[in-house]
Amino acid sequence: MNGIIGKKIGMTQLFDDDGNVVPVTVIQAGPCPVTLVRTAEKDGYDAVQLAFEECKDKHVTKPELGHLKKAGLKHGMRHLVEFRGPSALKVGDTVTVEAFADGETVSVSGVSKGKGFQGTIKRHNFGRGPETHGSHNVRQAGSIGASAYPSRVFKGMRMSGHMGAHQVTQRGLRIVRRDPENNLLLVRGAVPGAKNSVVIVKGRGS
């Protein structure tokens, strides 16, 4: 298991050794205390549960607060995430950015930005209709099915609707730099989500 919970701070850019500009996303990752370790013998699968972002006790349910205090934490935590896979971690350990290495390939999961109700051109990259000769079908979706058969619209037809606000995983991202003192990971490229949104970083094989 090689993973950590973090918060997307924003984007900036760095210069590599050759003087090239490298766009990076800054992620405040951890520290994440281990609150639970699951084993195949007891639970049927191997996993490690990590906590992230301290908060007041009143913002956490009493059962969850008791779970955290059983793990040795003295305060509430906003987020709990399980990472599947065998691990040498135990309850009481803390996962930091030092668990990763510069140049390591990771995947980052987060909730994409919500864009509300959108049409087919923006949502599904449809083409436009003619704009001249009196056409009123400029940004319409076009035909969605036949009349005689099947006399209905098939399920899954790409149409207008709510866009964004989905769980998205961006794979193949590379860690450009770590900052253990400030708990920061600088990842090349963009990651899903808005600023200050929670993201999950997993190493290869996690």
Side-chain angles (χ1 to χ4, degrees), residues 8 15 32 70 89 95 118 131 149-150 163 179 181 191:
K8 179 179 176 180
F15 292 92
C32 297
K70 183 179 178 181
L89 295 172
V95 179
Q118 296 297 332
E131 294 185 292
Y149 176 81
M163 182 179 177
D179 186 356
E181 293 183 1
V191 303

Side-chain angles (χ1 to χ4, degrees), residues 46-195:
D46 294 315
V48 175
Q49 185 186 79
L50 302 182
F52 176 67
E53 195 174 1
E54 298 180 8
C55 66
K56 295 181 179 179
D57 291 351
K58 66 178 183 179
H59 294 151
V60 181
T61 62
K62 288 185 178 181
E64 187 172 318
L65 186 62
H67 169 67
L68 294 173
K69 291 190 175 180
K70 183 179 178 181
L73 300 180
K74 300 180 180 179
H75 41 70
M77 303 292 283
R78 290 189 184 277
H79 309 285
L80 293 175
V81 177
E82 271 193 9
F83 294 85
R84 291 287 188 107
S87 175
L89 295 172
K90 57 184 182 296
V91 176
D93 293 345
T94 301
V95 179
T96 65
V97 296
E98 294 181 344
F100 298 87
D102 292 343
E104 182 177 351
T105 301
V106 296
S107 62
V108 181
S109 302
V111 179
S112 62
K113 291 182 180 180
K115 301 182 183 302
F117 189 96
Q118 296 297 332
T120 55
I121 290 181
K122 182 170 182 176
R123 191 181 186 208
H124 299 295
N125 199 28
F126 279 17
R128 294 188 305 181
E131 294 185 292
T132 58
H133 301 286
S135 172
H136 296 284
N137 187 26
V138 179
R139 294 180 68 91
Q140 300 297 323
S143 175
I144 59 173
S147 174
Y149 176 81
S151 299
R152 63 187 178 90
V153 178
F154 285 118
K155 289 184 179 180
M157 188 69 64
R158 293 183 296 170
M159 303 173 72
S160 302
H162 188 272
M163 182 179 177
H166 296 298
Q167 183 80 7
V168 180
T169 300
Q170 186 70 35
R171 295 179 173 86
L173 300 177
R174 181 171 57 85
I175 296 178
V176 179
R177 189 178 301 171
R178 300 171 303 158
D179 186 356
E181 293 183 1
N182 298 310
N183 301 313
L184 298 179
L185 282 177
L186 276 63
V187 179
R188 181 186 177 98
V191 303
K195 290 182 180 179

